[in-house]
Amino acid sequence: MEKIIIATDLNEMAASVIETGFKLARKLNAVVDLLCVVDKELNLLAGSTGFVFDDQWAERLTSATEKLTKIQIENEDLKINVVAFVGYPKTDILSHITNENASFIVLGTHGRSGFTQLLMGGTAEYIVRHSTIPVVVVPYNIDKH
């Protein structure tokens, strides 16, 4: 059976990415891993403010798991596994693809460039360059140019 990984950081475009992945899963009658890797590197930004967030990881992980579980329940026609953990999205998404023997990965791109790309990272670009399976990238800006 086919397996599709839908990777999301649950940002403002998550619904579009997830729906695209679900459409593909329905067409292929595939199992879905709805994956959110809570970015450990965001701690660097929080730490630089001088504030202490003792339980930030537990709270972020709980929030992500709750959101993914809600999506899972709302789409009971699909076989969806909720997968959420704290880590490094670029490498951990690739590891998950390999460990789960996935057929496709669906993720979104923010469309950032220049300094913002450098500062925030390029997870989608990294996955496209290093993935061993087909990658479906859902663009953030879907308006015509």
Side-chain angles (χ1 to χ4, degrees):
M1 176 173 270
E2 303 280 348
K3 180 175 253 188
I4 298 172
I5 308 296
I6 302 173
T8 179
D9 59 3
L10 297 169
N11 65 15
E12 64 277 358
M13 70 171 291
S16 179
V17 172
I18 293 167
E19 189 53 40
T20 299
F22 285 173
K23 284 179 186 177
L24 182 60
R26 286 182 178 102
K27 287 183 182 203
L28 298 175
N29 195 29
V31 173
V32 172
D33 275 7
L34 194 51
L35 171 66
C36 180
V37 180
V38 177
D39 193 348
K40 213 175 208 179
E41 291 179 349
L42 290 180
N43 186 41
L44 297 175
L45 298 174
S48 67
T49 64
F51 294 105
V52 177
F53 300 99
D54 291 335
D55 56 355
Q56 69 170 313
W57 303 120
E59 289 178 16
R60 290 179 184 178
L61 183 57
T62 297
S63 175
T65 302
E66 287 173 354
K67 289 174 184 176
L68 296 176
T69 300
K70 182 178 182 217
I71 294 165
Q72 176 191 40
I73 291 167
E74 292 170 349
N75 293 277
E76 61 185 24
D77 63 310
L78 291 169
K79 169 75 171 111
I80 301 171
N81 303 309
V82 169
V83 182
F85 56 89
V86 176
Y88 300 97
K90 290 178 181 179
T91 55
D92 288 340
I93 290 170
L94 289 173
S95 293
H96 188 77
I97 290 169
T98 302
N99 294 341
E100 293 299 318
N101 198 24
S103 304
F104 296 92
I105 179 159
V106 179
L107 49 85
T109 180
H110 294 280
R112 296 183 183 114
S113 62
F115 182 71
T116 307
Q117 164 78 18
L118 180 65
L119 180 66
M120 299 300 286
T123 301
E125 179 186 358
Y126 186 89
I127 299 298
V128 167
R129 286 189 294 124
H130 294 92
S131 178
T132 57
I133 62 172
V135 180
V136 177
V137 179
V138 180
Y140 175 70
N141 184 0
I142 59 172
D143 296 332
K144 289 186 178 183
H145 295 279

